[in-house]
């Protein structure tokens, strides 16, 4: 598997990953009715952040976006988001993307990485983040309207990156 920066020609395959994740409305706080144009504007990170894809040959298995969590006095903390194609789940793609994001942030001197809204019902993502050094620093009760579990908490997760 290779992870590289997103190129314009990647969008059709990335959209095939993003669309079902957004429509399912069970992991991301994105509007499930968002259009392709809105999804593109949301997913493609502007510099100094970037969007990447994980590939096996020419097939995109997953995608991530990395960048600064908040501007100004919060700009020393990074953030990231990840999506993996349903057919590629359980094959280490998410782990590779999380490790890429952490290394991306370390190389740029960020003090930490924060995830602002991880649905507590997204057990596989929560377990992955915990394995990779994140901790749950808080949970907003009932902040995520899951389509089958009802209102579940949103975790705020953080990993220290300072050497």
């Amino acid at each position: 598997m290779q992870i590289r920066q997103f190129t314009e020609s990647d969008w059709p395959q990335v959209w095939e990953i993003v669309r079902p994740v957004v429509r399912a409305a069970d992991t991301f706080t994105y509007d499930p009715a968002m259009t392709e144009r809105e999804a593109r504007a949301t997913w493609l990170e502007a510099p100094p952040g970037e969007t990447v894809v994980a590939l096996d040959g020419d097939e995109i298995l997953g995608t991530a976006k990395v960048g600064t969590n908040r501007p100004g006095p919060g700009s020393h903390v990074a953030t990231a988001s990840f999506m993996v194609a349903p057919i590629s789940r359980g094959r280490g793609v998410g782990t590779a993307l999380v490790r890429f994001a952490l290394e991306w942030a370390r190389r740029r001197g960020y003090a930490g990485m924060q995830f602002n809204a991880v649905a507590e019902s997204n057990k596989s993502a929560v377990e992955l983040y915990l394995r990779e050094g994140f901790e749950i620093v808080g949970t907003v009760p009932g902040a995520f309207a899951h389509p089958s579990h009802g209102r579940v908490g949103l975790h705020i997760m953080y990993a220290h990156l300072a050497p």
Side-chain angles (χ1 to χ4, degrees):
M1 178 181 3
Q2 171 195 9
I3 297 176
R4 65 157 171 77
Q5 190 167 12
F6 170 90
T7 63
E8 289 301 319
S9 63
D10 295 331
W11 179 250
Q13 284 190 71
V14 170
W15 174 235
E16 290 304 311
I17 294 169
V18 171
R19 181 180 53 209
V21 169
V22 170
R23 299 287 185 262
D26 61 356
T27 54
F28 275 79
T29 58
Y30 297 162
D31 180 353
M34 76 182 344
T35 66
E36 180 178 358
R37 183 177 179 173
E38 291 166 332
R40 183 182 173 87
T42 299
W43 195 252
L44 299 185
E45 192 73 18
E50 69 179 289
T51 301
V52 298
V53 293
L55 299 147
D56 182 9
D58 292 333
E59 181 185 5
I60 296 176
L61 310 174
T63 180
K65 65 179 196 164
V66 291
T68 301
N69 190 46
R70 295 284 180 250
S75 64
H76 59 285
V77 176
T79 193
S81 296
F82 313 94
M83 291 190 190
V84 176
I87 196 166
S88 300
R89 292 182 187 152
R91 296 174 41 195
V93 177
T95 299
L97 288 167
V98 170
R99 289 176 179 169
F100 170 88
L102 289 166
E103 184 56 31
W104 179 93
R106 280 186 188 98
R107 282 193 321 265
R108 284 158 182 78
Y110 286 94
M113 181 171 280
Q114 179 176 323
F115 298 153
N116 302 311
V118 181
E120 68 182 347
S121 55
N122 190 354
K123 301 286 189 203
S124 60
V126 172
E127 290 170 8
L128 167 59
Y129 303 153
L130 291 171
R131 271 195 321 269
E132 294 302 317
F134 286 83
E135 60 183 301
I136 298 169
V137 296
T139 303
V140 182
F144 185 76
H146 191 281
S148 59
H149 298 298
R151 291 183 181 164
V152 300
L154 279 177
H155 293 318
I156 301 164
M157 301 186 76
Y158 187 78
H160 292 276
L161 299 179

